[in-house]
Amino acid sequence: MDAAPITIKLSYKGKSATLTDIPRRISSRDLLAMARSSFPLGDVDGTLFKLLFKGKIIAQDDAAVTTTNANTNANNDDPQPAFPEGITIPNGGAKVILMATSSQRVQTLNSLRSDPTLRGFDDPTPTTSTAAATRPPHNYWGPLHTAQNPTHKFRTLAECPIASFGTRPGSSTPHAFEARRLLERMVLDPGIVAILTSRKLFVNTLGEMDPIDDRVMLKTQHGGGKCLLGYNTNRGLRIDVKLRTEDLRGFRPYEELIGTLIHELSHNWVGEHDVLFWTNYGQMRVEYLWRHGCLSKMMGG
């Protein structure tokens, strides 16, 4: 039993045409012919037609057919149906969009040499930016210290998100990129890696402390004007270190930053600054210095 005829509503650049009593299995070739007669575009032979239904090509002229759309070739010896089995056509009719392009324009575009600096979606060759994103961070500590412990480590790094850092004309404050490189240097520091490994520590995020954070001002007020250099949130969920100087013109000395980081790591166990805290902090400082002393001896320093 043949399927009931369907209605097709063609649209092209704001114009529309309705085709009624169309066979359900009309071929792509016949539907293209009907579209041409419904929308005479002058130089018919020089215009390539393409029909789309629900975002998919259901018919198109030979010159526009590619190997991936071979099944939609309208002039094939075995014409393909415009609406194959399994495609649902609404009761109100199939809304088909007509696209028309000059064959000369298509030939011109096809003849243009592709830009070698552009990469196709299927091209597996990584671009420079992709390769840079997958490269390991810059190593400050030599070829033997290029990664953290796979388990006991800082999971992510977060430089200060304020976009104005280092981006204004004449600005002298280091860019956020430099802050990230400094954080990378800190997490790959052999002394810090040794502390996290021996004490089985895991910190979710090591971040740059926002210089205008409300917590900084609050701590300064309650601390009698003392400068807050870092803080530990939820005992290792996140540690923030104040990387920049007070005038934002540069970074604090590296030794000071490491001292602050070890201080905040000690808060993973003890919240208050009591004897237990300072004992633990002192042990971690000794472990850090011992590790660097061993490295210096190995290198003949």
Side-chain angles (χ1 to χ4, degrees):
M1 180 177 179
D2 294 336
I6 61 175
T7 298
I8 299 177
K9 300 178 180 180
L10 296 172
S11 63
Y12 173 71
K13 291 187 176 181
K15 300 179 182 179
S16 61
T18 302
L19 308 178
T20 58
D21 296 327
I22 304 300
R24 174 64 174 78
R25 291 187 56 80
I26 184 173
S27 67
S28 298
R29 177 180 58 197
D30 293 340
L31 186 56
L32 272 174
M34 290 184 177
R36 287 185 179 279
S37 62
S38 300
F39 296 98
L41 301 179
D43 184 13
V44 177
D45 294 334
T47 303
L48 301 176
F49 277 52
K50 182 184 296 184
L51 301 179
L52 293 88
F53 175 62
K54 293 184 177 180
K56 296 183 178 180
I57 299 173
I58 59 174
Q60 60 184 357
D61 286 315
D62 281 342
V65 174
T66 64
T67 56
T68 57
N69 292 323
N71 291 334
T72 63
N73 189 342
N75 294 321
N76 196 297
D77 293 336
D78 182 19
Q80 296 293 323
F83 305 98
E85 295 294 334
I87 292 183
T88 302
I89 298 179
N91 295 331
K95 296 181 179 180
V96 177
I97 298 175
L98 168 64
M99 299 180 65
T101 307
S102 168
S103 59
Q104 182 178 2
R105 179 174 177 80
V106 172
Q107 293 174 0
T108 300
L109 292 174
N110 289 338
S111 65
L112 292 177
R113 183 177 180 181
S114 61
D115 188 340
T117 63
L118 299 180
R119 181 170 63 95
F121 291 110
D122 298 328
D123 185 358
T125 305
T127 60
T128 302
S129 59
T130 303
T134 57
R135 275 200 311 264
H138 179 68
N139 180 29
Y140 298 88
W141 305 105
L144 299 180
H145 306 280
T146 60
Q148 301 184 76
N149 182 285
T151 304
H152 311 298
K153 60 181 181 179
F154 297 93
R155 189 178 72 86
T156 60
L157 303 178
E159 62 273 24
C160 187
I162 298 178
S164 61
F165 279 171
T167 59
R168 294 178 180 175
S171 177
S172 61
T173 189
H175 196 280
F177 296 150
E178 297 180 52
R180 185 170 187 87
R181 284 194 288 267
L182 181 53
L183 292 173
E184 290 172 353
R185 179 183 177 185
M186 293 169 67
V187 300
L188 291 178
D189 188 313
I192 297 298
V193 173
I195 290 174
L196 267 66
T197 302
S198 65
R199 296 168 181 268
K200 299 181 179 180
L201 294 177
F202 177 86
V203 178
N204 186 65
T205 303
L206 174 63
E208 175 188 5
M209 191 171 72
D210 187 342
I212 59 173
D213 195 317
D214 290 340
R215 285 174 288 188
V216 177
M217 300 303 298
L218 183 62
K219 184 71 175 181
T220 300
Q221 294 173 1
H222 291 177
K226 294 181 180 180
C227 177
L228 179 65
L229 299 177
Y231 50 79
N232 185 322
T233 303
N234 291 340
R235 297 195 173 187
L237 177 64
R238 178 177 175 122
I239 290 178
D240 288 88
V241 176
K242 191 173 185 179
L243 302 182
R244 301 174 192 268
T245 56
E246 295 301 318
D247 59 8
L248 303 181
R249 292 182 178 273
F251 293 125
R252 295 178 179 276
Y254 184 75
E255 294 75 11
E256 179 182 319
L257 298 177
I258 287 298
T260 300
L261 178 57
I262 296 175
H263 180 108
E264 298 307 328
L265 285 172
S266 186
H267 279 304
N268 278 29
W269 289 281
V270 186
E272 299 297 327
H273 293 109
D274 54 16
V275 175
L276 180 59
F277 170 87
W278 290 113
T279 300
N280 184 56
Y281 169 75
Q283 291 174 347
M284 294 170 73
R285 287 284 296 177
V286 170
E287 186 172 352
Y288 177 88
L289 295 173
W290 180 83
R291 178 59 177 162
H292 276 277
C294 291
L295 291 176
S296 178
K297 185 177 181 179
M298 290 173 57
M299 296 175 64

